[in-house]
């Protein structure tokens, strides 16, 4: 089974005006895996980067050299809507196929219009839809049959949901994309998925950002190791992932809209942490989740 490359590139919160340059920089730097999503509202501009690079013979990069993932948004869980969003994503990204298409969240939201991605009632509660994850998965499987996507997977699935999908799937999820960083190591879920042959994509691998601040870079342990090695705290954290889960089934998708950081983060592949450094970073865990559906939508998926 082929999994995505170990180091990928994220595009969430990359404004449409800058994402094209960021993705082009990523591809020309050596990243061969780009993580996208309909809800990031920048797939059209990401697609412009793909077009620019794949149509430029001097880049030496062809479509088939790059792993491209996108995701089904919560308002498109109804089986008849699954293909509609997949086709929209393909059109925006200017692609004939996706390498991987994920159910973004195990949370079906009501569809009201193509632009209302977070439907709420008059009391500001998110409007859920009554469509089962099994029905959505069946429609995802059809996309593979039709050749629109090579693989399908899930994101933000808890262990009980993984157990459930394994009971009914015809095509097993290739990966579960979940939040992982030193402050939220998620060891039990990762181990469970890997044992079941489901790969892991670690999102917010550097701890993400909160109100514009990168919190993990302010951690003393990480900063001290970075200072000693003469590298950035972000490179330390990314190298920690790759050493801790040294498997082709585990990959990371750091994001930056800043070209110099895009290049800097790629250099994590050259960083080797000592056992003592790994132990020290393993010790900073504090169960701090950056992507919290209870904060976003008042839905206690994890807590
Ligand atoms: P992240 O990659 O851990 O962190 C991104 C933040 O770090 C941005 O604010 C970025 O700022 C900053 N940054 C990046 N490199 C840096 C460096 N070298 N020095 C200082 N700051 C740096 O967090 P993320 O974007 O939340 O997660 C990564 C990707 O995972 C997303 O882009 C998305 O593709 C995916 N994701 C998926 C889900 C899901 O539900 N499946 C949820 C969250 C994320 P600048 O951009 O300003 O440089």
């Amino acid at each position: 089974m082929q999994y995505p490359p170990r180091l990928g590139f994220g595009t969430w919160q990359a404004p449409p005006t800058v994402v094209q340059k960021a993705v082009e920089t990523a591809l020309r730097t050596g990243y061969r895996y780009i993580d996208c999503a309909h809800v990031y509202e920048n797939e059209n501009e990401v697609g412009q980067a793909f077009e620019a690079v794949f149509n430029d013979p001097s880049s030496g990069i062809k479509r088939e050299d790059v792993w491209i993932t996108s995701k089904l948004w919560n308002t498109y869980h109804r089986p008849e809507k699954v293909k509609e969003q997949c086709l929209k994503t393909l059109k925006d990204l200017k692609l004939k196929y996706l390498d991987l298409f994920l159910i973004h969240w195990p949370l079906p939201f009501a569809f009201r219009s193509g632009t209302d991605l977070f439907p709420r009632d008059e009391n500001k509660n998110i409007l859920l839809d009554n469509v089962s994850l099994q029905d959505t998965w069946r429609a995802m499987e059809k996309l593979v049959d039709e050749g629109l996507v090579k693989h399908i997977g899930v994101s933000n699935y808890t262990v009980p949901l993984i157990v459930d999908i394994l009971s009914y799937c015809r095509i097993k999820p290739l990966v579960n994309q979940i939040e992982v960083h030193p402050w939220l190591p998620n060891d039990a879920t990762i181990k469970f998925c890997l044992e079941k042959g489901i790969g892991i994509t670690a999102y917010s691998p550097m701890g993400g950002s909160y109100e514009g601040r990168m919190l993990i870079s302010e951690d003393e342990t990480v900063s001290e190791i970075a200072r000693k090695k003469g590298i950035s705290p972000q490179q330390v954290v990314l190298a920690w992932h790759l050493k801790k889960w040294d498997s082709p089934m585990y990959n990371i998708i750091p994001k930056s809209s800043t070209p110099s950081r895009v290049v800097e983060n790629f250099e994590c592949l050259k960083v080797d942490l000592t056992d003592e450094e790994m132990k020290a970073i393993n010790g900073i865990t504090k169960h701090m989740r950056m992507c919290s559906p209870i904060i976003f939508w008042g839905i206690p998926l994890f807590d």
Side-chain angles (χ1 to χ4, degrees), residues 9-13 35-36 40 71 102 104-105 155-156 177-178 202-209 212 214 232 234-235 253-258 261-262 264-265 291:
F9 184 73
T11 59
W12 182 38
Q13 294 179 312
D35 181 77
C36 317
Y40 301 164
K71 313 185 192 86
L102 307 175
H104 204 148
W105 288 89
S155 177
N156 296 300
Q177 183 176 130
I178 55 172
Y203 76 64
S204 303
M206 302 176 292
S209 65
M214 270 298 295
S232 71
Q234 287 75 21
Q235 289 171 325
I253 45 171
K255 170 263 179 184
S256 176
S257 299
T258 317
R261 291 173 173 175
V262 175
E264 175 190 314
N265 295 345
C291 267

Side-chain angles (χ1 to χ4, degrees), residues 6 23 28 54-55 89 103 135 140 150 164 201 244:
R6 300 212 65 208
V23 171
R28 293 183 197 277
F54 299 152
N55 292 341
T89 280
I103 294 183
D135 285 348
M140 296 284 283
K150 293 210 159 149
D164 192 47
T201 296
K244 178 169 178 184

